[in-house]
Amino acid sequence: MDELRKRYEGLLTGSYDCVDRIVLNAYFSMGHNPGGFRVWWRQLHGGSDEHLDDTHLMRMAGRYARRVRAFAKANGMPVIECDREDRKHLIAEEYLREHKVGLGVFLILVARAPATVWKVKRSAAGVIRNLEKQKTFVNHYSFHLRHEAARYEWAP
């Protein structure tokens, strides 16, 4: 059993048979309704909604972006900004033709795409009145990696 299957077997459905590409799309069901979103937030913040607001959510997103870029810099890999029409797999293929890479992440691509975000509405007294679901453009990250598991066919 390859390492990818061993590690994620309980979470994956479907199959892969492509020797050079695996696409994993994550779906975080708790983040798609207001109650689940608050439960997730409370798990991260000691059971409290005190700092659940747009400012803290944006700071969290900013920290993630900075950490991704710091990881890339520390490991000598590029972070490339893409347009929405760019075919990311073609960018990765071109990069591989021009650079020798080892196993693991070798390239990070960033593109703006629509996603659901939560806007926090509080009363004058600071009580959360509503979590409003909105669609907006956010950065989506594509992590390109070489992994030995990509050489195997697998069907759960």
Side-chain angles (χ1 to χ4, degrees):
M1 178 182 297
D2 63 72
E3 289 299 314
L4 178 76
R5 181 176 175 189
K6 192 183 312 178
R7 180 172 220 155
Y8 296 106
E9 183 173 33
L11 302 171
L12 296 174
T13 60
S15 63
Y16 66 86
D17 60 10
C18 181
V19 297
D20 68 347
R21 190 170 302 116
I22 301 171
V23 176
L24 300 174
N25 290 314
Y27 179 77
F28 181 57
S29 59
M30 286 180 69
H32 290 272
N33 67 67
F37 183 76
R38 285 180 82 170
V39 167
W40 168 79
W41 180 267
R42 289 172 183 162
Q43 287 175 342
L44 291 175
H45 296 90
S48 172
D49 286 338
E50 179 183 358
H51 297 294
L52 177 53
D53 55 41
D54 295 346
T55 300
H56 283 85
L57 290 168
M58 289 180 70
R59 284 182 188 160
M60 182 182 281
R63 278 192 303 272
Y64 177 78
R66 285 188 300 279
R67 288 177 178 169
V68 166
R69 290 177 187 280
F71 168 82
K73 184 177 182 179
N75 290 282
M77 70 185 67
V79 176
I80 300 173
E81 303 285 334
C82 300
D83 292 325
R84 63 187 264 185
E85 68 274 353
D86 287 340
R87 304 286 298 178
K88 291 168 196 61
H89 70 283
L90 296 177
I91 294 169
E93 288 172 6
E94 181 180 339
Y95 186 85
L96 284 172
R97 278 193 302 273
E98 297 172 0
H99 299 86
K100 182 172 173 60
V101 301
L103 295 179
V105 177
F106 65 87
L107 175 66
I108 301 172
L109 304 178
V110 184
R112 298 201 47 85
T116 300
V117 299
W118 292 100
K119 296 292 183 180
V120 181
K121 305 293 182 185
R122 289 185 178 264
S123 69
V127 176
I128 294 177
R129 289 190 335 226
N130 190 30
L131 292 176
E132 182 180 312
K133 190 184 270 192
Q134 293 183 352
K135 281 275 194 186
T136 190
F137 281 81
V138 300
N139 284 339
H140 288 240
Y141 294 84
S142 298
F143 299 88
H144 293 263
L145 61 110
R146 290 184 62 94
H147 192 282
E148 289 183 28
R151 289 192 235 156
Y152 302 104
E153 292 189 18
W154 167 72

